Amino acid sequence: MTLSLDEIKRYSRQLVLPDFGSRQQARLKNAKVMVTGAGGLGCPISVYLTLSGVGRIDIVDMDEVDLTNLNRQFLYGPDDVGKPKVKIAARRLTEINPEIEVNPIVEKITYDNAFDLIKGYDAVVDGTDNFPVRYAVNDACAVNRTPLFHGAVLMYEGRAMSIIPKETACFRCVFPDAPPAGMVPTCREAGVVGSMTGIIGSIQALEAVRYLAGLDIGLKDRILILNTDTMTFDKVNVKRREDCSACGDVFIKKPVDEVCEVRSQ
Amino acid sequence: MATMRLSTPLRKYSGGKPEVTVEGETLLEVLEKFDSKHPGFAEKIIENGEIKRFVNVFVNNIDVRTKDGLNTKIEENDTISILPAVSGG
């Protein structure tokens, strides 16, 4: 796939990078990526994938814009309250970069539909906000062997890791089970500021873009932990579990009980 | 003295501090000593003598499950990081 003159100009600031050229840009143009969630993480993720020139982006979320979203979800404004997030997001992203295709999918991801929904993508970037959906996305990516770029935030702490199924540790290798309800608060309960989701979502998008372009990525078998109380970035090493129920030798369905789901608006 | 870094959901046991200095020869001893001053802490991390499946403990950025688990020796200047799963987005 060749690049048009407009595309060469649009992407010129990344095309001049020493390890990035028209071949890498064409790889991005050919890529099909799913963004799960159009919230605090989903906004920076989808914006940076759009700006980088990922050819097709499908965004899944069933929520409507709420006034409480507007401290961090910068694709929306007060006039969008009550409207489906993914439709507003897709329209805005297409305005930002008309060279790419953005598809809104108004759907709730569940353990039952995730395996079909997340099929045929070159990568998934996860911006969901609760354990049942996160484990569904992880397990579906493990079974379908789709690279998954994970990120999560809570208050002033953020995390990111990149998962290449069967090659690197998946979310379930690291956390085989979800915490019981009430153990870990959600953003709605504990709070989050916009720049936190902005930083972590941007890191997820960057890892995905580098991976899709064929460049090395730094968060395989590692969790990046951002602690903004002390403004430290730590990386801890994690390992695949041979007996992982998602990416191990034998796949075992392990849906996480919806009871522990508390939506972070 | 070693340093223990606490993830956000556990900071109610450290008065909100992201990191504290701790003492103990092994990880278990460190957790128990900290628990004696901040009751309820250890039970958030340990269940039936093992680290819970939704918590990870790292010593100098290495998962203790790949070392000696709760019996992992803690040396002077080690950094212990305790990481429960979080899901916010």
Side-chain angles (χ1 to χ4, degrees):
Chain A
M1 197 182 278
T2 53
L3 302 170
S4 68
L5 284 175
D6 273 357
E7 285 175 311
I8 290 169
K9 194 163 185 190
R10 170 182 275 272
Y11 303 121
S12 58
R13 293 297 186 276
Q14 61 205 50
L15 290 169
V16 298
L17 286 165
D19 50 0
F20 200 99
S22 52
R23 200 163 64 87
Q24 285 73 24
Q25 192 65 55
R27 287 179 65 131
L28 291 185
K29 188 175 176 175
N30 281 325
K32 186 178 162 189
V33 175
M34 172 174 271
V35 179
T36 50
L41 292 171
C43 284
I45 291 166
S46 56
V47 165
Y48 279 113
L49 295 179
T50 294
L51 293 170
S52 304
V54 169
R56 179 167 153 192
I57 303 169
D58 292 359
I59 310 176
V60 195
D61 198 310
M62 64 166 297
D63 286 346
E64 291 166 351
V65 178
D66 186 90
L67 198 56
T68 59
N69 300 150
L70 302 188
N71 81 323
R72 62 198 185 285
Q73 300 180 20
F74 51 75
L75 284 169
Y76 319 116
D79 291 346
D80 301 319
V81 169
K83 295 175 189 164
K85 282 184 181 177
V86 287
K87 294 203 169 165
I88 306 291
R91 196 178 64 209
R92 182 78 191 106
L93 295 167
T94 312
E95 282 167 9
I96 292 170
N97 188 352
E99 307 281 354
I100 65 159
E101 183 185 338
V102 183
N103 297 310
I105 303 173
V106 184
E107 178 113 38
K108 180 181 165 69
I109 301 172
T110 67
Y111 206 89
D112 290 332
N113 70 11
F115 296 81
D116 287 328
L117 203 59
I118 304 170
K119 208 170 225 175
Y121 290 94
D122 297 305
V124 172
V125 192
D126 188 19
T128 57
D129 61 4
N130 62 82
F131 286 115
V133 179
R134 282 190 181 277
Y135 279 96
V137 170
N138 178 78
D139 288 11
C141 286
V143 168
N144 293 334
R145 298 207 179 188
T146 310
L148 170 62
F149 298 87
H150 164 86
V153 293
L154 183 68
M155 294 170 77
Y156 297 102
E157 179 179 330
R159 310 212 189 131
M161 85 185 269
S162 300
I163 300 161
I164 312 299
K166 302 281 183 189
E167 184 191 320
T168 71
C170 78
F171 187 65
R172 212 185 261 282
C173 290
V174 183
F175 301 109
D177 293 325
M183 159 78 195
V184 177
T186 63
C187 290
R188 179 158 70 177
E189 293 159 342
V192 64
V193 290
S195 27
M196 274 309 305
T197 45
I199 295 166
I200 296 297
S202 303
I203 288 170
Q204 291 175 265
L206 180 57
E207 283 278 290
V209 164
R210 288 186 61 99
Y211 171 79
L212 293 165
L215 305 177
D216 289 339
I217 53 172
L219 294 179
K220 291 196 285 191
D221 281 332
R222 285 186 184 138
I223 305 175
L224 177 80
I225 307 163
L226 167 62
N227 180 352
T228 58
D229 290 321
T230 48
M231 205 45 96
T232 47
F233 284 81
D234 286 319
K235 275 191 287 192
V236 293
N237 299 313
V238 292
K239 262 191 176 169
R240 267 194 79 204
R241 289 180 190 241
E242 296 296 320
D243 63 347
C244 174
S245 66
C247 74
D249 294 337
V250 183
F251 171 68
I252 304 161
K253 276 191 167 191
K254 275 177 73 177
V256 170
D257 198 347
E258 295 268 340
V259 171
C260 89
E261 178 180 359
V262 181
R263 304 192 68 79
S264 71
Q265 288 284 320
Chain B
M1 298 274 254
T3 302
M4 183 162 72
R5 292 186 175 157
L6 295 168
S7 179
T8 305
L10 294 167
R11 287 191 198 155
K12 60 183 169 190
Y13 298 101
S14 63
K17 287 189 201 142
E19 55 181 58
V20 289
T21 51
V22 287
E23 284 178 32
E25 301 268 304
T26 65
L27 177 62
L28 182 64
E29 213 179 293
V30 165
L31 298 177
E32 284 177 341
K33 276 194 178 173
F34 190 75
D35 183 81
S36 67
K37 289 181 209 150
H38 308 276
F41 174 75
E43 71 188 44
K44 294 283 180 196
I45 296 156
I46 306 168
E47 189 171 53
N48 302 326
E50 292 202 21
I51 296 168
K52 291 185 176 187
R53 285 165 68 83
F54 55 85
V55 180
N56 277 284
V57 183
F58 301 86
V59 174
N60 300 333
N61 298 338
I62 308 291
D63 187 344
V64 296
R65 287 191 183 92
T66 66
K67 301 174 96 168
D68 291 325
L70 287 167
N71 297 320
T72 301
K73 290 262 178 289
I74 302 299
E75 310 281 347
E76 194 78 11
N77 300 324
D78 276 356
T79 300
I80 304 163
S81 306
I82 303 187
L83 217 66
V86 300
S87 72

